[in-house]
Amino acid sequence: MPTRTLAAFASGLRLADVPDRVVDRTLCMLLDQHGIASFVASRTPWGEAVTRYALAHGSGPAASQVLGTRHRVSAPAAALASGTLAMGFEYEDMHVRGDGHPFAIAAPAAFAAGEAVGATGADVLAGVIAGYEVGVRVSYGQDKTATPWPERGLYPITVFGVFGSAAGAARAIGLDAERTAHALGIAGSHAFGTMQAHKEGSMARRLNAGRAAELGVTAALLAREGFTGPREVLEGEFGVYATFAEGNPDLSAITAGLGEEWATDGVWLKNYPCNGLFQAPLDA
């Protein structure tokens, strides 16, 4: 069962189990992400707008920092703003095999949730790594010969991204495997994403990572309180793959090599602020 296998992996991850190269690469990506967030927060209308929103509506304990700023708001509001800022200028991460920009979703969630409960830096960093691994791996089960999701109007980055944010937040706040599975189920029950905002060029396109990060934080904090979610949200009869995917998905690929082959080894950062498919032609 991939959902519960991923939950057990995320909840049990310790930095001592992570290769040094993975930790080093994660820290480099965090520096890159903070730089992007700082720029977007102060230099773009959507960054300024989402920061104002978080400050105005992020009621509750102001425990979590909005990345790239000095502002502190509630954890869900911080995740919403931070994810939007991290993915707000087309410089986010890509992956050679998986779908999407998982780091721009998982890291803001782990930071926001971890700060909210006073987690250690080690736990937050473990959450970032766990969230990235899960966020990439949940996309591995797709049938690559089927019609690509974006051509059907679906935005896979946020459909899969909610699992990375939920796993990252759950690990950062120290949930056990059972409650982490519930967090994944809660988040996956509300997986979402369409391409219409891309089609129209609206600011809502920038909000995709923010909403996915916010949902992951909310799911983890609800699970912490005993709220339950479906534990087969990926593989179930009405799970994410049955609902969204076409062709013949191979869900065994999601957990193959888990803990031995690290998704972080396949991450790369954009050199140009545009779609990842255009990076090589621009270099040429």
Side-chain angles (χ1 to χ4, degrees):
M1 297 296 184
T3 303
R4 279 175 275 189
T5 300
L6 291 175
F9 167 79
S11 65
L13 185 69
R14 300 293 181 269
L15 286 183
D17 305 325
V18 181
D20 289 344
R21 70 179 189 280
V22 173
V23 174
D24 291 344
R25 186 60 173 158
T26 301
L27 292 173
C28 286
M29 289 194 292
L30 283 172
L31 288 172
D32 184 83
Q33 185 172 93
H34 277 67
I36 294 167
S38 297
F39 174 82
V40 175
S42 61
R43 301 291 184 88
T44 67
W46 50 88
E48 293 171 353
V50 77
T51 302
R52 289 197 302 270
Y53 173 87
L55 287 170
H57 301 285
S59 58
S64 303
Q65 187 172 355
V66 176
L67 297 184
T69 78
R70 295 182 178 180
H71 304 306
R72 290 189 175 275
V73 294
S74 65
L80 172 68
S82 296
T84 303
L85 298 177
M87 199 168 144
F89 207 67
E90 297 288 352
Y91 268 124
E92 65 277 356
D93 61 298
M94 298 285 292
H95 194 269
V96 296
R97 178 182 173 191
D99 251 323
H101 315 293
F103 194 80
I105 299 173
F111 268 87
E115 284 194 286
V117 303
T120 66
D123 281 334
V124 171
L125 183 56
V128 173
I129 295 170
Y132 187 81
E133 290 295 319
V134 172
V136 172
R137 282 182 165 275
V138 290
S139 71
Y140 282 2
Q142 296 177 86
D143 181 350
K144 293 297 186 180
T145 67
T147 304
W149 290 32
E151 291 183 19
R152 294 188 286 124
L154 292 170
Y155 193 44
I157 290 165
T158 46
V159 174
F160 294 128
V162 296
F163 293 100
S165 64
R171 173 60 188 87
I173 66 177
L175 296 190
D176 61 17
E178 181 75 6
R179 295 200 178 194
T180 299
H182 286 306
L184 294 176
I186 295 166
S189 295
H190 302 279
F192 66 97
T194 75
M195 296 294 295
Q196 190 60 32
H198 295 68
K199 182 75 173 179
E200 297 184 21
S202 71
M203 287 186 188
R205 181 261 181 275
R206 309 296 175 190
L207 199 62
N208 283 316
R211 287 288 288 131
E214 177 191 33
L215 178 54
V217 168
T218 300
L221 293 176
L222 281 170
R224 186 174 185 243
E225 299 300 326
F227 204 94
T228 64
R231 289 180 291 181
E232 296 182 0
V233 71
L234 284 171
E235 65 272 24
E237 180 182 0
F238 300 110
V240 165
Y241 267 91
T243 302
F244 293 108
E246 287 187 341
N248 298 296
D250 177 14
L251 272 65
S252 66
I254 294 174
T255 55
L258 183 63
E260 299 174 358
E261 301 171 7
W262 294 86
T264 311
D265 288 333
V267 69
W268 56 277
L269 299 171
K270 294 180 180 179
N271 290 323
Y272 309 101
C274 62
N275 186 282
L277 296 176
F278 300 139
Q279 304 294 307
L282 282 168
D283 266 345

